[in-house]
Amino acid sequence: MSDASAVNAAVLDDLRQESEELDLLVAGASVEDWAAPTPAEGWTVAHQIAHLNWTDEVALTAVTRPGAFAAETEKALARPDTFVDEAAGEIVSLLPAGELLVRWREGRTRLHEALRSAPPGVRFPWYGPSMSIASMATARLMETWAHGQDVADALGVRRRPTARLRHVARIGVRARDYAYVVRGQQPPAEPFRVELKGLEGEMVVYGPQDAAQRVSGPLLDFCLLVTRRAHRDDLALTAVGPDADRWLDIAQSFAGPPGAGRPRKEAG
């Protein structure tokens, strides 16, 4: 197995595990649980799973029928602020919870198999830059973890962080410049140093050691920040330098509009 194939296989294994962990959260959920509101305004638990299912199916189109994916980008350009909500809402309106769960399982399995069988080095069209097998799998893992956090919050479940968070952190770091561009701002020219501490004390590090602009803190907190699942003030992240400080206000790991983000927790 080539180095690229080994990397692809490892990320796909992590994606499968992340999906299975979320599956366990919702598989035994009641009808009331599926209808429970999540921190995303207007979205229930069912909307979160419907969104993951829809995105998996769109990704499958990009992987298996790249020429047909152009129609998906046209939909996004025509309704940039609503097409994601509309897609999730349509699925929820059509399928009861049990059928939605089956559809999500089947869709993610088809995508997983398509990515497994794709030739190393191939690139797939997407809403932003084209994606490799590993980057597509990483993006799906990031979304699964982030929307899984919404589900966990809605159900009052505290999830244990895993080493898979390194994928979420990596895409958050790589998307640094995008966070500026999507807001019509000029990204900083120099690279940042990012030092994150994992659960077992291991360090996840990005950027040159001598960088003047620096971010440090817990790996989990950084992932919550870049997926906009927590307010910066509620996280133990430290910035050194004005550019790094600004980045922590706007960082996002996903394509599209940044959204409102999570409000600051009230004291007490």
Side-chain angles (χ1 to χ4, degrees), residues 135-200:
S135 59
M136 179 69 82
T138 300
R140 298 308 309 127
L141 190 155
M142 178 272 295
E143 281 233 44
T144 301
W145 181 81
H147 290 283
Q149 185 64 46
D150 294 335
V151 171
D153 288 343
L155 299 181
V157 174
R158 187 176 180 85
R159 301 191 298 174
R160 187 179 187 279
T162 73
R164 296 188 297 272
L165 286 177
R166 69 189 186 279
H167 299 297
V168 181
R170 181 174 182 271
I171 202 170
V173 170
R174 289 175 63 86
R176 187 201 72 168
D177 288 1
Y178 179 81
Y180 289 88
V181 172
V182 77
R183 291 167 174 80
Q185 301 173 18
Q186 181 68 32
E190 67 272 20
F192 292 176
R193 175 75 167 183
V194 179
E195 299 178 342
L196 307 171
K197 192 171 185 178
L199 267 187
E200 307 300 326

Side-chain angles (χ1 to χ4, degrees), residues 55-123:
T55 316
D56 284 342
E57 292 180 350
V58 171
L60 182 63
T61 298
V63 171
T64 60
R65 296 186 295 130
F69 184 76
E72 297 299 330
T73 57
E74 289 174 4
K75 293 177 187 177
L77 290 171
R79 303 187 304 280
D81 297 324
T82 62
F83 81 104
V84 171
D85 288 342
E86 290 170 359
E90 181 179 358
I91 294 173
V92 170
S93 69
L94 293 174
L95 298 177
E99 292 181 28
L100 172 55
L101 181 57
V102 170
R103 177 167 164 171
W104 175 49
R105 288 170 173 168
E106 292 176 345
R108 74 183 198 238
T109 297
R110 286 194 296 271
L111 176 60
H112 185 92
E113 292 172 349
L115 289 171
R116 284 273 188 194
S117 60
V122 69
R123 299 194 68 85

Side-chain angles (χ1 to χ4, degrees), residues 192 212-215 232 239-247:
F192 292 176
Q213 306 291 322
R214 310 175 73 87
V215 168
R232 174 186 175 179
V240 175
D243 290 337
D245 185 70
R246 172 57 179 157
W247 182 43

